[in-house]
Amino acid sequence: MDSIKQGANYVSESVQQALHGSKKEANKDIAKDSDAPIGTRASAAKDAVKDKAHENKHDAKAEAHKQEI
């Protein structure tokens, strides 16, 4: 039963990792857009850094859950 829970946690963390990875890429594109206002670009760059940190955190958690299966 515990391995089922760990498997579900692994899937959940993997989905979160993918979500933050997608958001990071979208924010990177906005930050690179020379037509966007500087405030928008700066905010997007800051958000991309946060999303990268969340992506790495969820990757580590997913790997830990995978090892517990």
Side-chain angles (χ1 to χ4, degrees), residues 10 13-14 17 53-67:
Y10 169 73
E13 294 296 339
S14 295
Q17 176 192 8
H54 285 131
E55 182 184 24
N56 289 340
K57 178 182 81 172
H58 289 295
D59 179 45
K61 284 184 175 181
E63 187 60 33
H65 289 301
K66 184 178 176 183
Q67 296 299 322

Side-chain angles (χ1 to χ4, degrees), residues 9-45:
N9 288 337
Y10 169 73
V11 170
S12 175
E13 294 296 339
S14 295
V15 168
Q16 290 295 318
Q17 176 192 8
L19 174 67
H20 285 290
S22 296
K23 288 173 58 178
K24 176 193 72 178
E25 291 302 321
N27 282 320
K28 280 175 49 178
D29 289 342
I30 293 169
K32 292 178 183 178
D33 183 3
S34 60
D35 293 331
I38 191 69
T40 301
R41 293 176 69 187
S43 180

